[in-house]
Structures are given as structure tokens and as C-alpha cells.
Amino acid sequence: ALTADHTQGSASQHGGSEAASQEKPLGARLVSLRFDPEKPVTGDRVRAVVVVDGMLEGDTVRVRWNVNGKDIDQTGEILETPVVYGDSILATVELVGSDGRTQTLSGTVLIGNAPPTIQMSGETFDGGEYVARLFVEDVEGDPVKLTLVQSPPGMVMDPEAKTLAWRPLASQKGVFQVVLEGMDVVGNTCRYSFDVAMSASESTPSSGKDATQ
């Protein structure tokens, strides 16, 4: 949000005199501008975080946006225009004081490539075989290389079909962790993990968790 520190004038007494002098407040100062997130990627909502010191009544702050050299018709702190990999975002902050003076501060950020995501799309346990179906997505449409990082002995992955298959032995009981990694063409990675709990008769997988790295 637009952040302002307010400085109030202070009165001082001199000896026993009833007269008091009112100090004149200093003008506001535009301190800094940063972006949130600091390193935005495709699909992020970019926000300008502005710090103003000593903002007074009547002062106004406005943020203007420019994407790839084109001015955007909005002045809010959040860029509502969707951003994609390679976009150059310019934010210009204007502080107009109650005395009519104007201060400006600008900053630029480049939109990076978003990492892929992995989710579970379905699971079955039929005829003694556990099968998990995966949903793999990259918002830029990059191909994603899948790696089975950790799994119970005997589990195999079909990267083309995006499935995991496992026919556990009778001796394989307990909870087994499965960890998958996805990597896109620029080297962005994500990890997805879940547990498979084996009893004597069935497999009960728990919910998985995405962890982007």
C-alpha cells in the first residue's frame, strides 16, 4: 500500500511566557519505490510499494504504469494489466504537495519465466496395482521434464503419459513418500510430494503438496 509517515508541527513554550511558536511542518519527501513481488513472473499481479516521509494533509500520491513502452490508462498501486514473460514494467510515482511542488520516482522490473506446476489428477488401486495420474502445466507453454526423485522400490514413471505405477510386494507395508520434480526449458523447477500408505489390502494416498523452488 502507499505508506506515509506523518510529521506534525509542535508548539514550544519559552520560560513563563504565554506566547507559543508553531513550527512549520516540513514538506513531504518521496523516499522509495519497490515492487511486490520483487521478481514477478507470468501471471503475477505487480504492486508498487511507495514510502513517503512526512506526508501532510492535501498531499497526493499517484502511480502511473507503462508496459513495454506503452502507457497504461490506470493510476492505482496495483497493475491490473496481465503480465507475461519478457514484459518490461515501468512504474512512475508522483507526489504532489499541498504547496504545489511535485516529486517523481521511477522504477523498472522485468517479468520472468514462471516455473511449471505439478498436481495429482487421480489415483486408482486395482488388481494389486497403484496408479497415479499427474497434471503438469507450464503457463508459458514450455515443455516440462519430469523426474521421479523419491519413491518406494518398484514404482515407475511414464513421463509421456504422466503416470506413476506401482505393484507393491506383500512385504511393503507402511507410509512411502513420493517426490517428483518438473523442470522447464529455462531451468525453473518445482517439486510435488505426497504419501502412499500401504496396508495389507489397499493403498490410501494422502493429499500432495506443491513446493516451487
Side-chain angles (χ1 to χ4, degrees), residues 69-86:
K70 181 180 179 180
D71 290 335
I72 303 300
D73 186 22
Q74 66 174 82
T75 56
E77 64 184 34
I78 296 177
L79 176 62
E80 301 295 345
T81 301
V83 297
V84 297
Y85 176 48

Side-chain angles (χ1 to χ4, degrees), residues 93-166:
V93 183
E94 288 185 350
L95 168 62
V96 181
S98 55
D99 57 3
R101 291 184 301 171
T102 300
Q103 301 173 51
T104 61
L105 189 61
S106 297
T108 302
V109 67
L110 295 177
I111 304 302
N113 187 291
T117 59
I118 304 172
Q119 295 180 357
M120 181 79 71
S121 64
E123 300 163 293
T124 60
F125 188 71
D126 186 38
E129 183 179 45
Y130 169 76
V131 176
R133 296 181 299 279
L134 307 170
F135 177 71
V136 182
E137 184 179 33
D138 185 274
V139 293
E140 288 91 8
D142 298 332
V144 178
K145 178 184 177 182
L146 286 176
T147 302
L148 185 57
V149 178
Q150 181 178 334
S151 65
M155 178 174 282
V156 295
M157 178 179 67
D158 184 337
E160 296 298 324
K162 298 181 176 57
T163 58
L164 299 171
W166 181 41

Side-chain angles (χ1 to χ4, degrees), residues 20-198:
S21 63
Q22 181 76 30
E23 294 182 3
K24 184 178 180 180
L26 299 175
R29 183 171 64 92
L30 197 52
V31 177
S32 64
L33 163 65
R34 64 179 177 85
F35 294 99
D36 180 33
E38 182 180 356
K39 296 180 179 180
V41 297
T42 299
D44 281 344
R45 297 187 73 195
V46 181
R47 184 168 69 101
V49 181
V50 182
V51 177
V52 178
D53 181 46
M55 193 165 178
L56 303 173
E57 184 178 355
D59 295 344
T60 58
V61 176
R62 182 175 69 170
V63 180
R64 293 185 287 109
W65 296 94
N66 180 291
V67 179
N68 300 325
K70 181 180 179 180
D71 290 335
I72 303 300
D73 186 22
Q74 66 174 82
T75 56
E77 64 184 34
I78 296 177
L79 176 62
E80 301 295 345
T81 301
V83 297
V84 297
Y85 176 48
D87 281 348
S88 176
I89 309 301
L90 169 66
T92 301
V93 183
E94 288 185 350
L95 168 62
V96 181
S98 55
D99 57 3
R101 291 184 301 171
T102 300
Q103 301 173 51
T104 61
L105 189 61
S106 297
T108 302
V109 67
L110 295 177
I111 304 302
N113 187 291
T117 59
I118 304 172
Q119 295 180 357
M120 181 79 71
S121 64
E123 300 163 293
T124 60
F125 188 71
D126 186 38
E129 183 179 45
Y130 169 76
V131 176
R133 296 181 299 279
L134 307 170
F135 177 71
V136 182
E137 184 179 33
D138 185 274
V139 293
E140 288 91 8
D142 298 332
V144 178
K145 178 184 177 182
L146 286 176
T147 302
L148 185 57
V149 178
Q150 181 178 334
S151 65
M155 178 174 282
V156 295
M157 178 179 67
D158 184 337
E160 296 298 324
K162 298 181 176 57
T163 58
L164 299 171
W166 181 41
R167 189 174 292 276
L169 301 175
S171 60
Q172 291 179 305
K173 303 292 191 299
V175 178
F176 300 88
Q177 186 176 49
V178 180
V179 180
L180 294 141
E181 182 176 84
M183 177 183 293
D184 65 15
V185 294
V186 299
N188 291 323
T189 62
C190 70
R191 285 198 173 191
Y192 181 82
S193 65
F194 64 97
D195 293 335
V196 178
M198 288 300 305

Side-chain angles (χ1 to χ4, degrees), residues 10-21:
S10 59
S12 59
Q13 296 286 342
H14 298 278
S17 172
E18 296 180 0
S21 63

